[in-house]
Structures are given as structure tokens and as C-alpha cells.
Amino acid sequence: MHRFAFMIHPLDISDITRKFPLARHLPAGLLERAVRYLPPLKTSYITGVRSPYGETEGWFVACPLTTRQMLSLPEKFVIERIIRTGRLAEKLGAEILGLGAMTSVVGDAGITVARNLNIAVTTGNSYTVATAIEATEKAAAMMDIDLPRAEVAIVGATGAIGAVCAKILARRCQNLTLIARNETKLARLAGEIKATSGLKARITSHSREALRRADVIITVTSAVDTVIEPGDLKPGAVVCDVARPRDVSRRVAEMRDDVLVIDGGVVEVPGKVNFNFNFGYPPGLAYACMAETMILALEGRIENFTLGRELTVEQIDTINRLAAKHGFRVAGFRSFELPVSAARVAAIRERARRKAALAR
């Protein structure tokens, strides 16, 4: 059996106080400074991942830096902490390490981490892309959106996940807008898409106007704060939020009952998996990035699989094929951690139709 580890970290200081209740009595600023000096932690042992072709077990290991610290502290310091956490995974016996949340984003997206460890490393981004696109296509169909003719927008298009999502969707839709802050990178990506698919994608660093026009949105920025608010969306829009921390404000769930927001990259794990850790999902469900590490362990592909910021369509096809072989599959729709039934989707679709009719 090949064993894996998956690296997590607190999204914000509230995750620290949930783990260590006494810490809530400390001022938040003092607590945040203190966690910089905590050692890496073994969070839990994961059992029961089993497919018709093998089984695997592994560990959650935690790098005790918050999202804001990952993005604001010196990059060298953050990467050193990630490497230290990876070495804990090595000592535990893991053969492959998955990088979760911001640990897969900072620096060169895992390349330096892999060079400093004696085990394989993957960011999990390939399977995240595969599942996000599959879920988005299913959601669009349920909302009666004709994807080839729809206005599609990618927020965070110049990142690793956003760029390859754009390249794949460019082959399936006719109206694509790429949104990111760096217009030079956007223009370069649009040029690659034009060369490979023939599609002339629009680019913009001003998201509001493009979002209000979009029928389908995949959002995958590395922003600390939310970037999509209730007033940004047209009735009937489908939004797949792949980012953690979230890109879509919770106010959208509270104020817009005419749009469908789904969590990206949530999958069912084969077997009777026990994570021995509550990360907010019901038993048996995991983020796709976690699943990619499990899939590679089950398949015995102890290799650096997804690293850096240049994901390929071939990588995504490969991990999708291996996922299907071992019985991983996209879970039913979830929105802000809660399940979304077909009846709820139908109700959203109907409210969107009425609102659109009143606007005419």
C-alpha cells in the first residue's frame, strides 16, 4: 500500500481558536503573530480509501499559517514553513504529498517544495479543474443554459487553474471573457487561446461589467477577500466558486435566490473513508485537490504530477481517467457547504425567469 499526506492550513484565525479554544482569550493580532512560530502538526490519520484496484491511507498535516500570512509574509519564510511541514509528512511515512489551499499557490506552486523533499508532490489542481468544469456544465444544463452560446467568464484567468479552465472552455463555447488584474498576462493567454482554438476571447481587468453580462462564471482567484457581490450577477447565472477562501460573498446566498452558486471541486471518495477530521463536508466527501493525491497513491504513481503554473489539458484528461477507474466522482451540487437539490435548482431557474420577464 502506498501512503499519502495532504497539507492543510488555517484559513483565518478563527480556525486556530476552534482547534485551541483557550486561544480565543488572546487578542487576535497577538495570536496571529504567535502562530508563526508553531511547529508543523499531524492533524489526523485517514483510513478506508479503497477502490476495486487498491487501497491507501494517509495523514492530514498542518502548516500553521493563515491565508493572510501565506500571502503577506516574506515568500522565503512561507515556503520554508511549507517544506518543514512536508518533512513531517516524510517522517510519518507518506510517499506522496498533496498541497492544499494557499500552500499550492505561494511561490512557484510547489516546484521549490518538491525539490526540497524526498517524496513526490502534487498540488491537486488537475483534478480540481476537471471536476469544476464537469460540475459547471451539469449546472448550466439544469439551468437551461446553452453553454456553446452562453456568455462565459473566468475570474482569475491568469492563474494556473483559471488559465487551463479557459483553454478547455474555449473549445466548448463561443463567448468567453477572461478576467484578471494583469492585462499583459491576459493578452498573452488570449493569444494562446486564439492560436489553439481559434476563439477570440475578450479580456478585462474590470470584473463588474463582465460579471453582470455572464451566464456562466468560474471563479478561481487567490484573493483573501470576496470578489463577487450580490449586485454583480444577472438573474439565472451559474457561478462555480473554486477558490478557498471563497470568491463569492455569502451575501449572494442571502440576497440572490435567482442565481445558482456551486462549490467547485467536491467529490465522493470510494470506500469507507474516515478523515478523523472535520473540514466541513459530510462523511465520504473531499475536495478534488485532496482526491488527486489519493488517486495517485491508489494508482501507485508516486511522482510529481501537478506542479507549477502551466497545467496541461493532457494532465487533466489523465487524472480524470484515473479518477473514474478508481471510483471517484463529482458529488451532487453543494453551495456554501450545503447540498443543493434538483428541486432547489428548478426553483432558482423559475425565479430567474420571472425576474427576467419583469425586466423586459
Side-chain angles (χ1 to χ4, degrees):
M1 181 195 300
H2 298 287
R3 290 183 170 83
F4 67 93
F6 190 81
M7 192 181 300
I8 58 177
H9 69 86
L11 294 182
D12 55 41
I13 210 67
S14 67
D15 286 343
I16 302 281
T17 54
R18 272 197 296 274
K19 177 73 175 175
F20 304 105
L22 288 177
R24 69 184 56 167
H25 300 295
L26 296 174
L30 176 62
L31 181 58
E32 192 159 22
R33 284 195 295 276
V35 299
R36 292 172 55 175
Y37 302 102
L38 286 176
L41 304 170
K42 181 184 78 173
T43 304
S44 71
Y45 190 59
I46 304 163
T47 61
V49 182
R50 188 171 295 111
S51 86
Y53 301 94
E55 60 184 301
T56 183
E57 296 179 348
W59 296 265
F60 279 131
V61 291
C63 179
L65 293 176
T66 65
T67 299
R68 194 175 297 279
Q69 288 175 318
M70 290 264 178
L71 295 176
S72 61
L73 290 172
E75 185 177 290
K76 183 179 178 182
F77 175 85
V78 174
I79 291 177
E80 190 274 334
R81 299 304 304 272
I82 294 171
I83 292 170
R84 281 183 62 189
T85 310
R87 287 179 180 147
L88 171 62
E90 280 185 0
K91 289 179 183 176
L92 290 169
E95 298 167 80
I96 184 167
L97 170 68
L99 300 178
M102 286 297 157
T103 69
S104 67
V105 173
V106 296
D108 50 15
I111 294 173
T112 299
V113 175
R115 284 175 180 159
N116 284 274
L117 296 178
N118 295 311
I119 57 176
V121 177
T122 190
T123 63
N125 284 345
S126 294
Y127 196 42
T128 295
V129 170
T131 55
I133 290 178
E134 181 180 340
T136 300
E137 289 181 329
K138 287 181 178 177
M142 291 181 71
M143 289 290 286
D144 288 343
I145 295 172
D146 181 13
L147 194 62
R149 297 186 178 185
E151 291 282 350
V152 178
I154 309 291
V155 185
T158 54
I161 294 176
V164 78
C165 280
K167 291 173 184 175
I168 293 172
L169 286 173
R171 299 176 178 179
R172 305 178 188 180
C173 66
Q174 300 167 11
N175 305 293
L176 179 65
T177 300
L178 312 175
I179 304 170
R181 287 179 295 184
N182 189 317
E183 294 195 354
T184 302
K185 290 183 178 179
L186 279 173
R188 189 183 308 135
L189 175 62
E192 291 176 26
I193 288 172
K194 180 73 164 59
T196 55
S197 70
L199 181 72
K200 186 176 181 180
R202 288 188 288 264
I203 64 171
T204 181
S205 59
H206 304 287
S207 62
R208 288 280 155 76
E209 183 181 345
L211 289 173
R212 288 171 182 161
R213 190 175 61 238
D215 303 297
V216 174
I217 299 164
I218 293 181
T219 183
V220 59
T221 78
S222 56
V224 174
D225 301 314
T226 54
V227 297
I228 298 178
E229 297 293 335
D232 296 334
L233 301 170
K234 68 186 287 187
V238 168
V239 186
C240 181
D241 191 352
V242 185
R244 294 295 178 276
R246 294 179 176 281
D247 281 345
V248 181
S249 167
R250 284 191 178 274
R251 288 187 292 274
V252 173
E254 296 163 2
M255 300 171 62
R256 293 297 303 269
D257 59 3
D258 59 338
V259 300
L260 176 59
V261 179
I262 59 172
D263 299 340
V266 184
V267 299
E268 295 179 13
V269 178
K272 295 183 178 178
V273 61
N274 186 348
F275 292 106
N276 289 302
F277 179 73
N278 181 6
F279 50 89
Y281 285 154
L285 301 188
Y287 291 111
C289 53
M290 296 175 184
E292 179 171 310
T293 316
M294 299 174 204
I295 293 164
L296 294 171
L298 283 169
E299 185 65 13
R301 290 188 62 159
I302 307 304
E303 61 187 73
N304 297 331
F305 187 79
T306 310
L307 291 179
R309 305 196 185 283
E310 298 295 329
L311 277 65
T312 68
V313 175
E314 289 74 20
Q315 281 176 305
I316 289 149
D317 289 343
T318 297
I319 200 68
N320 222 6
R321 176 176 55 78
L322 295 178
K325 170 184 172 181
H326 288 286
F328 290 79
R329 62 179 185 177
V330 173
F333 298 140
R334 302 184 69 79
S335 183
F336 296 93
E337 283 92 32
L338 298 175
V340 181
S341 66
R344 183 178 163 194
V345 175
I348 293 170
R349 188 176 63 226
E350 183 57 29
R351 284 191 288 267
R353 280 179 178 160
R354 290 177 187 170
K355 187 169 284 190
L358 287 173
R360 284 198 289 268

